[in-house]
């Protein structure tokens, strides 16, 4: 039976090989374990295997697991990323419990997160989600509107804009995957190149999942979001 430890080792091996193929330092790409629908026991196994950063798509489920892991592993310095869609009525638990948010695509959501971030916590680290495909049924700001949104969010007092996130449509092969990820990379470079106030920490490109992490690394991703490759398949969502 393949354990979570074994799967993490396999994913880390893939990342290392992908970085070598791209001529990149493996330390330049962070691994986010996407733990949606898996219980705190599975996360504890990942922590025991050395994983510290976790991504949650479902806010209430994530808040419950944050509390459970804090109680079970009080000495573990874990990092929690909200990587699912955020409705206006769900901003408070995100602001109060998570360290990162990858899915800001409207200024109103960012304003609420900033206003609701507790004063005793450090700034919430934020990525702007970009709809690189232009699919009207998908979340994310249009690429043409992303620079203005980045600038506006960067002015909010309790947020720190760290970069861009994208979830492109499935592509059939490595070159097609790389090509779509490069759209986000070019936009990232364009925004970072202006070096505007509030963007001093604009350093994160959240691209790639289990199926396309190699192409994402080749395109310049600094953070890959891997769920199935670590925890296995998911039967149902909550």
């Amino acid at each position: 039976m393949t354990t979570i430890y074994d799967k993490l080792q396999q994913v880390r091996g893939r990342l290392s090989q992908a970085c070598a193929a791209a001529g990149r330092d493996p330390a330049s790409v962070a691994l986010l374990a996407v733990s949606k629908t898996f219980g705190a026991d599975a996360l504890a196994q990942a922590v025991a295997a050395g994983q510290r950063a976790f991504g949650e798509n479902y806010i209430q489920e994530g808040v419950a697991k944050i509390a459970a892991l804090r109680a079970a592993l009080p000495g573990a310095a874990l990092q929690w990323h909200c990587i699912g869609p955020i409705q206006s009525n769900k901003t408070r638990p995100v602001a109060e419990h998570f360290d990162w948010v990858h899915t800001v695509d409207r200024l109103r959501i960012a304003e609420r997160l900033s206003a609701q971030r507790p004063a005793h916590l450090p700034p919430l680290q934020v990525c702007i989600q970009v709809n690189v495909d232009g699919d009207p049924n998908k979340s994310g700001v249009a690429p043409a509107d992303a620079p203005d949104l980045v600038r506006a969010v960067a002015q909010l007092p309790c947020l720190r804009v760290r970069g861009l996130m994208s979830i492109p449509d499935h592509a059939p092969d490595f070159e097609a995957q790389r090509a779509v990820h490069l759209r986000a990379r070019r936009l990232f470079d364009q925004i970072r190149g202006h070096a505007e106030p509030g963007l001093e920490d604009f350093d994160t490109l959240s691209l790639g999942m289990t199926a396309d992490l190699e192409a994402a690394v080749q395109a310049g991703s600094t953070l890959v979001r891997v769920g199935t490759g670590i925890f296995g398949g998911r039967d149902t969502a909550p």
Side-chain angles (χ1 to χ4, degrees):
M1 178 179 176
T2 305
T3 66
I4 288 175
Y5 174 88
D6 295 330
K7 291 175 181 175
L8 264 170
Q9 293 302 103
Q10 292 168 6
V11 170
R12 289 167 180 155
R14 286 177 62 188
L15 272 177
S16 180
Q17 292 173 7
C19 287
R24 298 180 59 189
D25 181 350
S28 68
V29 185
L31 173 61
L32 186 66
V34 178
S35 42
K36 65 179 180 183
T37 78
F38 289 94
D41 56 339
L43 275 71
Q45 293 177 50
V47 173
Q51 183 64 27
R52 294 294 181 270
F54 295 91
E56 289 287 334
N57 293 67
Y58 308 116
I59 295 168
Q60 291 307 127
E61 178 191 337
V63 169
K65 281 188 271 191
I66 291 170
L69 268 293
R70 188 172 293 143
L73 303 170
L78 305 183
Q79 190 179 84
W80 298 95
H81 297 235
C82 177
I83 60 171
I86 305 173
Q87 298 174 346
S88 294
N89 63 348
K90 293 292 181 65
T91 53
R92 185 173 296 279
V94 174
E96 292 179 346
H97 297 281
F98 285 85
D99 305 299
W100 282 69
V101 179
H102 291 227
T103 50
V104 171
D105 60 0
R106 289 166 287 160
L107 181 57
R108 177 59 178 155
I109 294 296
E111 289 172 338
R112 289 178 64 86
L113 290 169
S114 180
Q116 294 167 346
R117 184 67 168 173
H120 70 279
L121 293 179
L124 187 61
Q125 312 296 301
V126 169
C127 288
I128 303 301
Q129 182 174 357
V130 181
N131 184 351
V132 295
D133 300 311
D135 184 339
N137 298 315
K138 291 174 64 174
S139 299
V141 64
D145 298 328
D148 286 343
L149 180 58
V150 167
R151 282 190 288 268
V153 175
Q155 304 310 308
L156 297 174
C158 296
L159 306 182
R160 181 167 295 149
V161 182
R162 295 298 300 271
L164 304 180
M165 185 273 260
S166 180
I167 309 175
D169 287 337
H170 173 73
D173 54 49
F174 178 89
E175 286 304 325
Q177 293 167 357
R178 179 176 175 272
V180 73
H181 285 314
L182 280 172
R183 297 180 201 166
R185 167 65 186 274
R186 286 190 288 269
L187 181 60
F188 174 79
D189 288 343
Q190 172 194 334
I191 294 171
R192 187 168 61 167
H194 286 95
E196 297 188 27
L199 299 183
E200 294 80 7
D201 297 313
F202 195 84
D203 58 4
T204 300
L205 191 55
S206 175
L207 300 175
M209 297 183 282
T210 299
D212 63 349
L213 70 85
E214 286 84 3
V217 169
Q218 186 70 230
S221 174
T222 68
L223 185 152
V224 295
R225 311 177 304 269
V226 177
T228 304
I230 296 171
F231 296 105
R234 302 177 178 89
D235 294 328
T236 58

